[in-house]
Amino acid sequence: MQIGMIGLGRMGGNMAQRLRDNGHEVIGYDHSPDRRDVASLPELVERLAAPRAVWVMVPAGEPTRATITELSGLLSEGDIVVDGGNSHYLDDRHHAEELGARGIGFVDVGVSGGVWGRENGYALMAGGEAEHIDRVRPIFDALKPTGDFGFVHAGGVGAGHYTKMVHNGIEYGMMQSFAEGYELLAASDIVHDVPGTFRSWKEGTVIRSWLLDLLVRALDDDADLSAIKGYAEDSGEGRWTVQAAVDHAVPLPVITAALYARFASRQEESQAMKVVAALRNQFGGHAVAKEDPAG
Amino acid sequence: MQIGMIGLGRMGGNMAQRLRDNGHEVIGYDHSPDRRDVASLPELVERLAAPRAVWVMVPAGEPTRATITELSGLLSEGDIVVDGGNSHYLDDRHHAEELGARGIGFVDVGVSGGVWGRENGYALMAGGEAEHIDRVRPIFDALKPTGDFGFVHAGGVGAGHYTKMVHNGIEYGMMQSFAEGYELLAASDIVHDVPGTFRSWKEGTVIRSWLLDLLVRALDDDADLSAIKGYAEDSGEGRWTVQAAVDHAVPLPVITAALYARFASRQEESQAMKVVAALRNQFGGHAVAKEDPAG
Amino acid sequence: MQIGMIGLGRMGGNMAQRLRDNGHEVIGYDHSPDRRDVASLPELVERLAAPRAVWVMVPAGEPTRATITELSGLLSEGDIVVDGGNSHYLDDRHHAEELGARGIGFVDVGVSGGVWGRENGYALMAGGEAEHIDRVRPIFDALKPTGDFGFVHAGGVGAGHYTKMVHNGIEYGMMQSFAEGYELLAASDIVHDVPGTFRSWKEGTVIRSWLLDLLVRALDDDADLSAIKGYAEDSGEGRWTVQAAVDHAVPLPVITAALYARFASRQEESQAMKVVAALRNQFGGHAVAKEDPAG
Amino acid sequence: MQIGMIGLGRMGGNMAQRLRDNGHEVIGYDHSPDRRDVASLPELVERLAAPRAVWVMVPAGEPTRATITELSGLLSEGDIVVDGGNSHYLDDRHHAEELGARGIGFVDVGVSGGVWGRENGYALMAGGEAEHIDRVRPIFDALKPTGDFGFVHAGGVGAGHYTKMVHNGIEYGMMQSFAEGYELLAASDIVHDVPGTFRSWKEGTVIRSWLLDLLVRALDDDADLSAIKGYAEDSGEGRWTVQAAVDHAVPLPVITAALYARFASRQEESQAMKVVAALRNQFGGHAVAKEDPAG
């Protein structure tokens, strides 16, 4: 089928390619002239045959909001917009209403797969009405992995991004689990082959997983990760997971600890621990490590 | 090769069968007359040709200690003992010394695989001296999965159980990650298909893993886990992981939170939260929920 | 001085009384006819001499928002509004702008003290411009405890509620610290006098504090807290603290754990732990506790 | 009364002085010749009139064990030994048995008070038999603060050190609560007076406490703690608290998080976070921060 793709960066560009490889016609727009087929959203809409389908793959927040508002003025009743970016699930409701007021359908889709998706397929989680989802199902079928899994219609508007958010929260917890295990192995003087231990776990263990495979790849390149700094960004979805947990009064100790470990990894020094050191000094006369005045 | 197997319960019995299926001769001893080939350890030792190899697969702690002490009096120089149970890694040193004093070799092996191991193979993590490990390598080769992975000589005496302990700690964190994600999905009123969401994640996602596959199996049987109580035992290795972390001054927030979630799941009521409720009542006049005097 | 007080519930009523006891004239409005001096906000504003000061002490969120919007239409340039409720610090900015557009000053004040405040004084944390704060300083002086402490001009608009929010976050962590210590004492079979231990800590220890005093009061009444359920609500400010931490990328493991412990205390059963139990059953054949079908 | 004091360091020396100030006769032994009244334990025992009382105030572990073993050979039936050091509660049982076999009484005492104790008194938590405790009660009365509190007979042998351990665990949680609150205040751009906010909390708040007073003292000296490194040691009792929690299956999320924050504060770099960074790079192509090869 024919689809307009807005945003042809690392994710959108690869997805457009996978769609074309599967016989779909993709007309792409990007703010960068190098990558795009059309120079503007009006031109994109003009090039698409009604009823149109447009996939928005731009950064979450203001860029997505602005794009959807512009599209709501350009598209017609019966057209459909898919937001495949990392939008917050509460934004989806507004977008669905804005578009719905003009008879335009809306589907939110969480997309997992990273740099491997173009080859292996992208796991897709969709939210919205069944009739809207059915309209773009050929696109979903082309993007998803070829097996029985990798696509779900998870629920109403927002459910696609909500489930993707939770997926990423689980991912945070799993990554930190491997990370803590690594540190505890590395701290032992009786374990001599840490990379070999992880490698051996690829088969027969309870913890075998794609993340373990990736960690083994990383350790194959750099056996003690000596070239990599212990510094981890967070992409926003971990934060949203914790905020959703607080909103729903769901205790999420593991996922939250994983998020906080990333926050801490980016601090040169903990303000909190200055307080602990100061208090120990006050009540116990414990020496404090002084900041180097020259530093 | 020939090996004596002490302990023919769920794990030991299946392992003995897998060894026999692979052409090894296993002479088994168990305290239960129904399962055993010989009636006593002396008879077992007598039946084995020197240099003998004995695999101990009995509960950790006192049963393992008693078995090894008895074996140290029965075996001869050049024989070898493998402890494949869930012993604490600090016990291994004592066992190695006790046996080593009489010229008997010792290898500690952490075994993963659960009820699936007989068919799929057991992941093995071994600690000890290379010459001792080489002596029983045919046994390891038969027990492990058939691929390139599933066995590691992780380090010196204790390293097998230490790495298995860490494996289980990682497992605790991963399981709790899925568990928290499940609860957050279930708490949302926009997600209508929680089991379908997990099922979809089996392909193309970052979190695909054997544990996810198992969770999908469980949800296939019971879509909202309504027949299962939110009550989880711990097997001891999670506790040891946390204690090893404390001993090594390694922060392990995720794995520890996973362990504590199990502790809490087994409490009818939290003594700690009585204190919080009492304090809120004291300073804020907040109502407290009263215990039912009849309950 | 003269002040209008909107909201005469447990907090507002006691504060009005403390102000009157200190010689101030309080004209009170409440939605309940039993407690109020005037029947409406217009009547309240009419009764106050310009430049007027009005203290808003109504529930956070919509009630506070509606009250401030109504006041912005009734008050005049040079008047001042104090929000002493538990508003979110980000709401303060909107209120200050809405009122400021009409020349009306705004101060946000976090108030601590609970049911003890009328007698002991209320700790006050204020945010806003110095000239606005100075306008109502006699009121602050009357409400605060009589010593050198108990009042701070913490910063710009929102700083009063932000610091009060953090105060409550610290309070969550401290309460949970005592709670965990209590549970660990109660779990020991060598400690025979848990209430006596807490009582002894009132002097000479590092942890002596008002919260400890309150816990001793509670234990004096009910030595093992047998009449109190381990069930704790949260007032919203703990949640805001965690959300502010996530927004500012500040790791807050202790305060978050304290909040999550409250969430968990209110669950009859953990959905998450059903998953852990199901997974243990899947991979290890561990028995699961079945829900009672009749239950 | 007369008492022998073994160990005259910062704690023991101050305690001996407080006892003398209260009219007791203290005969002191220390390994350092400068501080001691007698040159050896035999000389100490000889100088004391039977039935003798000896207070051991030396480092926990081997030094305490060796001292008690030596005393068990020197003292006589009816004498009594008090261990006022920071021994692990499980050691107490062994010491009580070793001494009890020779008719010598044993009391374990946890002592809180730090550098402030000599002036303000030491909080004491005692474990053992009532008759043994009564024998040294005049000493306890002199050491404790002068008010109604500050001493408890908490339970059987070990209960003194167990309750002191839990006290320190609570202390860890409280300190970290203040520390996290500090960091969250410092991270806000609307709060302009962080030290003033803490100072104001000394009266009228729920969190007023001795630790808050100490933090205010520290901030009075150094308003942003710029001279203090965010680096905190742990004294061992926090670790024991977590290990006791694991042994008793008591969830202790707050106290454990406080301990882990100290561990993390002492790491130049987190090995765990190298793994998280490596994994993000593997699956998402996220850039990793490279270690400076020259660093």
Side-chain angles (χ1 to χ4, degrees), chain D residues 125-137:
Chain D
M125 294 137 253
E129 295 177 30
E131 59 169 323
H132 296 150
I133 285 172
D134 286 342
R135 281 280 318 284
V136 278
R137 195 169 290 272

Side-chain angles (χ1 to χ4, degrees), chain B residues 183 217 229-230 267 269 289, chain C residues 183 229-230 267 269 282 289:
Chain B
E183 182 164 334
R217 278 175 53 105
K229 260 199 160 162
Q267 298 184 328
E269 181 163 38
Chain C
E183 182 163 335
K229 258 198 160 163
Q267 298 184 329
E269 182 162 38
Q282 286 289 331

